[in-house]
Amino acid sequence: MPGLVPRSESIAKNAAGVKMDLDTQPEVMHEKSHHSHGTGAENQQNGIPLTNGDHLMANGIYSNGISPTPPDVQERTSAAVDRLIGQLPPEIEHITFGYTPLSTLISRLVQETFIGLADVINDMSETPIPQSGQNGQINHVNHQMTGNDDTSQVNVQKKLRLLNFAGDRRAQFIKILILSKWARRAEEVSKIIDLNVWSSNRLQEYQDCISWMGELKRRLIPLRDPNPDIKTALEVLSLGKASWLPDLGYIPPEPLTSEQLLSALRKINTLLSIRLNLHETIPPLFRDFAIASGRVTFRIVDEFEVDLSIADEDPSSQFFFIDFRFSFSPIPTDLLAGRLRDEIESRANDVLKRDGLQGLFNFLHNLVLTHKLRVLRNQAYEMMRSYWAENLIVEAVHRSVVVQYWTNRPGGKNWIEIGLKSGRETRLAKPSSVPRIPHIAIRWFRGGTEVDDAKIDLNVGYLSLAAILKQIMALHTSYIFEGMAAKMKEALLYSSGSLRLKCIASATEPMDASILIQLTATRAVKLVKEPISGRFAILPSSQVNGQAEFDLNRLPNPAADGSSQLARLRSSASVDEVETTTNSLGWESFRSLNPNRDIVKRFFGKAIQRVKFFKRQPWTSQFLLAFTTSMDGDSWWVVELSENGQAQDAASLNVPAGPTVQGAYRVTLPELGEVVAAPSFAILARIDKLAAGTISNLVNARHLQAQKIPYKMRQLPATDQRHQPSCIFVSFSDRRTPPLLRSSPVPDISWAHEIVKLEYRGLSPSGHRAVYVATAHLSKNFSSIRDVVSKIPSLFFRTVHDSDTGLESEAISLPIVVKVGETSIPTLINRLAAIGLLLDCISAIKFYHAKIESISLQKVSFTYKSHPSLSATVHFPTDAPMRLSLSSPNPHLRILDHLTTLLGTQGLTEVLSLIRTTQSLLDGLCSLEASHPNGGIAILTRSEEWFQVRYSSPYAKGGYDIHMRQRRDDPKWAVAEESIKKGESGSQEFEDQLKGLLRRRKQNEWFGVNGGMIAEVSGVEDMLKTVDQVWRLSQHMPGDSRPGKRKAETDIVEID
């Protein structure tokens, strides 16, 4: 071909990635050539070198004198090329797989050479050297043979081996050298490899295409219809005959009349009856037949009916196939027709000719079984496209149908296999030998394990895969529910009949299978299983039931593990029921305490499933009320908390910091007689009461142990359906007197026996405090004050029967109210001491004939015998000593502090004695103050036995002291002469009468003596009045000329 072939280095790629000649670039190259040569347009046309001359010089302006391409054609060609650039095929795939770096080959060759050389040298060294002198000369210097003349066989073999090794290695290195030269042209070699792979792939595709076309032609041969004989068809349609068909001259028979046809049919019926009864060996399953209309009809129940007839009277002639019908449903709406029917008829006649009736049965039986399996398979696919979607998986394995149900359930797979199985069929009367015929059978796999003893009715007369699946699901659901119920009935709650459980099984309908479970005394649920998806459902719906339903649907083996979830459901329902009632009562859930499983087992038992803690506001923060539930029953507990006492245990058990359980004490309700009871308001109130008593007895016992006070706890017999915690009997013996009792004014409880019974009686009406009743047997006869003590609201006198001695004794009972969780022992000790003081006070008041106005354990109020208008109250505070209070006006208010001190040290008897002794004196002093409304007198109380009377202006400045003196155990009031102080009065009469008082004879229960005046208790008031009258004489008259001076002097003296 004329022209120039461009060189390889002039090949480049354009922007679209297509290889092209560098001399065929766009117009830019043309313009550049035009500027450089001046005749670029004449030298090239569209970048193509011109022919017939130099590729740079044209043979004239145009080739052969004319332009090869008109300008308009040239423009259209360029536009077409530009459009085709984006539609070019992709680049050839670059092959990189299987390449090995040259460096790796060289490195491996060097290693292999080194290892081989070392092996050769080692082998040569191990070869024995021949003895000296046999071959070669000896080098006497080195004592070795020179080897140049050694021609021994061993030496030759060594040399040959070394030469062979060197030659082999040399050949390998030559190969590497050749490869290294090829590697210098790796890019070109890579392109050759890419082209080779591409052309091999194209060749393989061409061969595959040819093979496919040949295979398609071969498969189309059976489907090809013969070419129609149009010529013969036209001749037959137009003339009624074909000229090329020979005429055999047959005379057509005359048509049969109705009588002839009926006679022929009756004859055939007779021949069939004779042949079947006398000559034919009828298969056992073909015994059910009927002859009519010239044919015999064999019936196979739930399979098919086939009509046969004969064409010859010879009993040895074959039967001929007439008709075939299915005797099961569903059957095809369009029965066998066309080529399929012709095929069945042809095969049936062949079988009848070859094997007779037995062969026909086998052929049709297998045909029917295959069709039944096909029907079941189609039903399975239809179910997959309906509401069973995503819950069934259907597989066809040979002629069998495999249906997996409940595909979204966790655990092992569940499926059924419906296929053919060989076995003994006993449909009719059992003959001597029953043939083995195939039949449709089913295998059920539950959780991946085959179930052998399942009774499944396939109902081959009415094929319904949905009904079969319902049976399987009903049996599976019943199996699960029966397993759950069996394990649930092993628990005490359901085995003892405290709660009811009923399992309903069904063999046909899965929705009829269910479990009725009584969770609590007032709640029950129904567990069912949705048949399509296999999910459990718990009715009625609630939050608690929904969580249990979710947990059940996650179990891989619900028959074995479902009972545990139902047990958790029962526990959750019980806790929820309790929470609902406790919220109405104002009990608070305590969520800060979350003990782990080990702590729960240690304090509450291993069978406990749920624990719920409640906080009672009236209780101390140390105690909680806990509700536990298990399959053995529900229980209530008193829980004692410890913040720091169990820190080490908490750290060892990896529990979070906070309150921990220190102890748990069960609260029992024996009067209920049930392990599960409805948490009504009345029952919770009983539990609250008993729990408070348990806490109180626990705290009291610990306090008694800490104080080392002997005690004993005893359970009293229940009366009137009343159950109380144990009573505490405390012993207050003299040798073990409690410290609080020793510090009280009364060192012992001598008024009562040393044994005191402390009995818990419940809660206060507000429910915030615990109420105790302490009973102390009296050791003295207090019958004289019984009427007074009986008026105390919190004290009760009663006659107590001692069951040990059989005797009756008087006892005092007093209630004690404390906060739940606090000990009542200190209050008991204070009350016992207060009772002793109270009894002493009452005895003292009775002794002094005072009148008691009101009485209680906290105070006693009484009035004076001599002055009923005056009253006093003795208080008995629990945390302070006794004190005395007086109502105003009361003359003893002057010495109230002294009386209170005396009351705390010596008791009320001394106080009453002092009140009686000072009554007249204090009345007189009050009268003195009342008789000087304008002042001039002051009364000072130095003690309960020492008083000072001081006069001032307008009287003579001075005064006197009055003291109590004992004379022959009889109290007297005395005024010492040296205690009488008088200033300058200016009245001689005052001086004389004052001196006369000191010499007065006894009159009105008082008299004067040397050194003063002495008055009886009853006469001291008259003595004070008389002295006051005398002192009034020192009053200054209005006309006195020196009052100012005396006043000034008096003032000055007073200041001094």
Side-chain angles (χ1 to χ4, degrees):
M1 178 178 178
L4 296 175
V5 178
R7 293 174 296 182
S8 60
E9 53 267 19
S10 64
I11 301 298
K13 293 184 180 180
N14 61 3
V18 181
K19 295 180 180 180
M20 59 185 297
D21 193 346
L22 293 177
D23 296 331
T24 60
Q25 300 299 323
E27 286 80 6
V28 179
M29 298 300 294
H30 292 276
E31 294 177 1
K32 183 176 180 181
S33 177
H34 174 73
H35 291 294
S36 60
H37 298 282
T39 59
E42 293 80 0
N43 295 334
Q44 292 184 357
Q45 298 293 334
N46 295 330
I48 302 175
L50 302 178
T51 60
N52 299 327
D54 190 4
H55 70 284
L56 296 178
M57 297 299 293
N59 187 8
I61 298 175
Y62 299 105
S63 278
N64 299 324
I66 62 173
S67 176
T69 305
D72 55 346
V73 177
Q74 184 177 359
E75 292 178 359
R76 290 196 300 271
T77 303
S78 299
V81 171
D82 293 339
R83 288 194 302 271
L84 291 175
I85 287 177
Q87 300 179 6
L88 293 177
E91 290 189 14
I92 296 175
E93 180 183 3
H94 180 58
I95 304 301
T96 58
F97 177 76
Y99 283 9
T100 302
L102 182 62
S103 60
T104 303
L105 292 176
I106 297 174
S107 176
R108 291 179 179 176
L109 182 59
V110 171
Q111 292 179 4
E112 184 180 358
T113 302
F114 177 78
I115 295 173
L117 180 60
D119 293 339
V120 170
I121 294 174
N122 291 333
D123 292 343
M124 291 173 62
S125 64
E126 293 176 358
T127 303
I129 301 174
Q131 297 180 1
S132 60
Q134 293 179 357
N135 292 308
Q137 298 178 356
I138 299 175
N139 189 338
H140 296 282
V141 178
N142 296 325
H143 300 282
Q144 294 181 355
M145 297 182 68
T146 59
N148 294 329
D149 298 329
D150 188 3
T151 58
S152 63
Q153 186 68 23
V154 175
N155 192 18
V156 172
Q157 292 178 356
K158 289 182 179 180
K159 293 177 181 180
L160 287 176
R161 182 170 183 179
L162 185 59
L163 288 175
N164 291 335
F165 173 76
D168 179 63
R169 292 296 93 190
R170 180 176 177 274
Q172 295 295 333
F173 277 100
I174 290 173
K175 293 179 181 180
I176 291 295
L177 177 61
I178 296 173
L179 290 176
S180 65
K181 291 181 179 181
W182 279 101
R184 296 186 182 94
R185 304 176 63 186
E187 184 177 358
E188 298 177 359
V189 174
S190 177
K191 294 178 180 179
I192 294 298
I193 293 174
D194 296 344
L195 289 173
N196 183 35
V197 172
W198 179 83
S199 90
S200 300
N201 291 338
R202 299 291 81 76
L203 181 61
Q204 183 64 36
E205 289 176 358
Y206 296 151
Q207 293 176 355
D208 293 342
C209 183
I210 294 172
S211 299
W212 176 80
M213 293 176 66
E215 182 66 19
L216 179 62
K217 183 178 180 180
R218 187 183 64 82
R219 292 184 178 182
L220 289 176
I221 291 175
L223 303 178
R224 183 173 56 190
D225 292 334
N227 294 329
D229 188 359
I230 298 176
K231 181 179 179 180
T232 303
L234 291 174
E235 186 177 357
V236 171
L237 291 175
S238 60
L239 301 178
K241 63 180 180 178
S243 60
W244 58 273
L245 291 176
D247 186 3
L248 302 180
Y250 288 146
I251 299 174
E254 295 181 359
L256 296 177
T257 63
S258 300
E259 292 77 5
Q260 293 175 344
L261 182 61
L262 180 60
S263 176
L265 292 178
R266 287 176 177 174
K267 183 178 180 181
I268 295 174
N269 292 342
T270 302
L271 294 175
L272 287 173
S273 177
I274 294 172
R275 180 171 178 176
L276 291 175
N277 289 300
L278 299 178
H279 302 286
E280 286 291 337
T281 302
I282 303 176
L285 297 177
F286 266 178
R287 299 285 176 85
D288 182 12
F289 62 89
I291 300 174
S293 301
R295 65 182 68 183
V296 57
T297 302
F298 294 97
R299 300 183 183 91
I300 304 299
V301 180
D302 295 335
E303 287 194 11
F304 63 89
E305 294 180 359
V306 62
D307 296 337
L308 303 178
S309 186
I310 56 176
D312 196 343
E313 296 181 0
D314 187 2
S316 61
S317 63
Q318 76 169 78
F319 284 97
F320 288 94
F321 178 88
I322 302 298
D323 197 5
F324 173 77
R325 295 174 299 278
F326 291 115
S327 61
F328 63 89
S329 60
I331 59 175
T333 56
D334 187 10
L335 285 176
L336 302 175
R339 294 185 60 188
L340 181 59
R341 178 183 177 85
D342 295 341
E343 182 70 20
I344 293 177
E345 182 178 357
S346 175
R347 293 195 179 187
N349 289 327
D350 292 342
V351 170
L352 285 171
K353 182 178 181 181
R354 183 176 61 254
D355 300 326
L357 294 178
Q358 183 64 46
L360 178 65
F361 169 78
N362 295 335
F363 167 68
L364 295 180
H365 179 66
N366 289 329
L367 175 65
V368 170
L369 293 183
T370 303
H371 182 66
K372 285 185 176 182
L373 294 177
R374 186 69 181 179
V375 170
L376 292 175
R377 184 184 306 172
N378 293 337
Q379 291 180 354
Y381 286 127
E382 288 295 331
M383 294 173 65
M384 286 183 62
R385 290 188 289 268
S386 64
Y387 55 86
W388 292 81
E390 299 182 358
N391 293 292
L392 289 181
I393 295 179
V394 179
E395 296 181 4
V397 182
H398 302 293
R399 285 195 295 177
S400 300
V401 182
V402 179
V403 180
Q404 180 184 349
Y405 62 95
W406 295 349
T407 57
N408 296 323
R409 287 282 306 161
K413 295 181 180 180
N414 308 293
W415 74 90
I416 59 173
E417 295 180 4
I418 303 177
L420 300 182
K421 183 178 181 181
S422 298
R424 295 184 179 275
E425 189 74 13
T426 57
R427 293 177 180 270
L428 304 176
K430 186 176 180 181
S432 57
S433 62
V434 181
R436 296 177 60 87
I437 61 172
H439 62 276
I440 295 179
I442 185 171
R443 299 174 66 191
W444 175 27
F445 292 84
R446 183 179 60 208
T449 304
E450 184 176 1
V451 181
D452 297 328
D453 55 349
K455 297 180 180 179
I456 304 171
D457 183 13
L458 290 178
N459 192 8
V460 293
Y462 182 80
L463 297 177
S464 174
L465 184 62
I468 296 174
L469 280 177
K470 279 189 175 182
Q471 290 186 61
I472 295 296
M473 293 175 180
L475 294 174
H476 197 164
T477 303
S478 300
Y479 166 76
I480 294 175
F481 286 168
E482 289 173 353
M484 291 182 181
K487 291 195 174 183
M488 290 285 287
K489 289 181 179 179
E490 294 177 359
L492 178 62
L493 282 176
Y494 296 97
S495 62
S496 62
S498 300
L499 294 178
R500 298 180 60 189
L501 185 145
K502 183 179 180 181
C503 179
I504 302 175
S506 175
T508 57
E509 182 58 44
M511 288 300 296
D512 292 342
S514 62
I515 298 181
L516 299 177
I517 309 172
Q518 183 183 3
L519 302 179
T520 64
T522 59
R523 291 188 184 183
V525 296
K526 181 179 181 181
L527 178 63
V528 297
K529 196 173 182 65
E530 201 276 322
I532 295 178
S533 63
R535 296 182 60 85
F536 291 97
I538 300 178
L539 304 176
S541 299
S542 66
Q543 183 178 1
V544 176
N545 296 348
Q547 181 62 39
E549 181 180 316
F550 175 76
D551 295 336
L552 277 173
N553 288 321
R554 295 175 59 188
L555 293 176
N557 188 6
D561 305 330
S563 59
S564 61
Q565 295 297 336
L566 294 179
R568 293 189 184 95
L569 172 61
R570 198 211 74 81
S571 301
S572 300
S574 182
V575 171
D576 181 69
E577 188 178 41
V578 169
E579 277 188 309
T580 303
T581 310
T582 54
N583 291 336
S584 303
L585 294 176
W587 294 11
E588 297 180 5
S589 296
F590 191 76
R591 305 183 186 277
S592 301
L593 183 62
N594 189 18
N596 57 23
R597 190 63 185 170
D598 294 334
I599 293 179
V600 172
K601 288 182 179 179
R602 183 169 61 181
F603 290 102
F604 302 104
K606 297 181 179 180
I608 298 300
Q609 293 180 334
R610 287 285 301 275
V611 181
K612 184 66 178 179
F613 298 98
F614 298 95
K615 182 180 180 181
R616 300 287 291 115
Q617 289 295 341
W619 297 1
T620 58
S621 59
Q622 187 181 1
F623 293 96
L624 297 176
L625 189 62
F627 174 75
T628 61
T629 176
S630 68
M631 294 302 289
D632 294 336
D634 300 337
S635 302
W636 289 89
W637 303 74
V638 171
V639 178
E640 185 178 7
L641 302 181
S642 175
E643 292 289 347
N644 300 321
Q646 300 294 329
Q648 295 180 357
D649 293 343
S652 61
L653 296 175
N654 296 323
V655 298
T660 57
V661 179
Q662 183 180 0
Y665 312 94
R666 190 167 184 174
V667 180
T668 58
L669 296 173
E671 68 271 18
L672 296 179
E674 299 178 1
V675 292
V676 177
S680 61
F681 293 153
I683 290 180
L684 291 182
R686 274 297 281 129
I687 291 172
D688 190 17
K689 177 181 177 181
L690 293 177
T694 303
I695 295 173
S696 301
N697 284 344
L698 177 65
V699 173
N700 290 335
R702 289 183 178 175
H703 184 83
L704 292 172
Q705 290 178 356
Q707 297 295 326
K708 298 182 180 180
I709 301 176
Y711 74 95
K712 185 178 181 180
M713 300 187 71
R714 182 185 301 175
Q715 181 69 48
L716 297 180
T719 59
D720 299 332
Q721 298 299 323
R722 179 175 60 89
H723 175 72
Q724 298 286 1
S726 302
C727 292
I728 300 178
F729 292 86
V730 186
S731 174
F732 293 109
S733 58
D734 294 337
R735 53 190 175 88
R736 292 187 178 181
T737 303
L740 290 176
L741 192 57
R742 291 200 301 267
S743 61
S744 62
V746 180
D748 56 8
I749 52 172
S750 57
W751 56 272
H753 291 290
E754 64 179 19
I755 302 299
V756 178
K757 183 178 74 171
L758 184 62
E759 182 180 0
Y760 172 75
R761 288 296 181 88
L763 297 174
S764 61
S766 63
H768 293 175
R769 291 179 168 273
V771 178
Y772 292 87
V773 174
T775 303
H777 294 265
L778 299 178
S779 60
K780 297 180 181 180
N781 187 7
F782 290 93
S783 58
S784 59
I785 61 172
R786 181 170 183 173
D787 57 340
V788 178
V789 176
S790 61
K791 298 179 181 180
I792 302 176
S794 56
L795 280 183
F796 306 96
F797 262 105
R798 58 175 180 165
T799 303
V800 180
H801 179 77
D802 191 350
S803 59
D804 296 333
T805 61
L807 302 178
E808 294 182 351
S809 61
E810 297 289 334
I812 291 181
S813 298
L814 66 153
I816 299 176
V817 180
V818 295
K819 185 177 181 180
V820 178
E822 295 181 354
T823 178
S824 60
I825 301 302
T827 304
L828 172 63
I829 294 175
N830 292 332
R831 293 291 178 86
L832 293 177
I835 291 175
L837 295 176
L838 180 63
L839 295 178
D840 291 342
C841 290
I842 294 174
S843 299
I845 292 172
K846 286 288 187 178
F847 178 78
Y848 287 100
H849 303 287
K851 183 179 180 181
I852 298 176
E853 295 294 334
S854 63
I855 185 171
S856 67
L857 287 178
Q858 288 74 32
K859 62 181 179 178
V860 176
S861 298
F862 59 92
T863 58
Y864 296 175
K865 176 184 178 182
S866 57
H867 296 77
S869 60
L870 301 179
S871 63
T873 303
V874 180
H875 299 271
F876 308 100
T878 58
D879 54 352
M882 291 188 299
R883 63 181 181 88
L884 181 68
S885 63
L886 304 174
S887 60
S888 181
N890 193 318
H892 287 92
L893 288 172
R894 296 178 183 275
I895 59 172
L896 179 59
D897 294 339
H898 302 286
L899 291 176
T900 301
T901 303
L902 184 64
L903 177 65
T905 56
Q906 299 185 21
L908 185 60
T909 302
E910 296 297 329
V911 171
L912 293 177
S913 176
L914 182 61
I915 288 175
R916 187 182 64 175
T917 303
T918 58
Q919 181 66 54
S920 298
L921 173 64
L922 295 178
D923 287 342
L925 294 177
C926 292
S927 299
L928 291 181
E929 288 183 336
S931 62
H932 296 275
N934 297 326
I937 189 172
I939 299 175
L940 304 177
T941 302
R942 297 299 183 182
S943 69
E944 69 275 13
E945 297 179 355
W946 179 18
F947 300 90
Q948 291 181 341
V949 181
R950 293 291 182 261
Y951 289 91
S952 60
S953 178
Y955 307 107
K957 182 179 182 342
Y960 58 90
D961 296 352
I962 182 169
H963 294 269
M964 180 184 289
R965 296 288 184 266
Q966 293 290 336
R967 186 177 182 183
R968 298 176 183 176
D969 296 331
D970 190 14
K972 307 291 183 181
W973 290 104
V975 177
E977 184 178 1
E978 59 271 14
S979 67
I980 301 175
K981 307 292 184 182
K982 62 181 185 300
E984 186 177 348
S985 63
S987 174
Q988 187 61 36
E989 184 181 3
F990 166 68
E991 297 289 344
D992 295 341
Q993 289 191 13
L994 186 59
K995 291 180 181 179
L997 293 176
L998 300 176
R999 296 188 294 271
R1000 176 177 173 168
R1001 294 183 179 273
K1002 187 174 183 180
Q1003 185 179 2
N1004 295 331
E1005 301 297 330
W1006 70 277
F1007 56 93
V1009 295
N1010 292 330
M1013 294 176 288
I1014 297 177
E1016 299 290 341
V1017 172
S1018 58
V1020 66
E1021 185 176 1
D1022 184 68
M1023 183 183 68
L1024 293 177
K1025 291 180 179 180
T1026 303
V1027 174
D1028 181 68
Q1029 291 176 1
V1030 172
W1031 214 279
R1032 286 175 181 269
L1033 297 176
S1034 64
Q1035 184 177 6
H1036 301 293
M1037 296 301 172
D1040 194 347
S1041 59
R1042 301 178 58 191
K1045 182 178 179 181
R1046 290 197 301 268
K1047 182 177 180 181
E1049 293 175 353
T1050 304
D1051 291 341
I1052 293 172
V1053 173
E1054 182 68 24
I1055 292 172
D1056 292 341

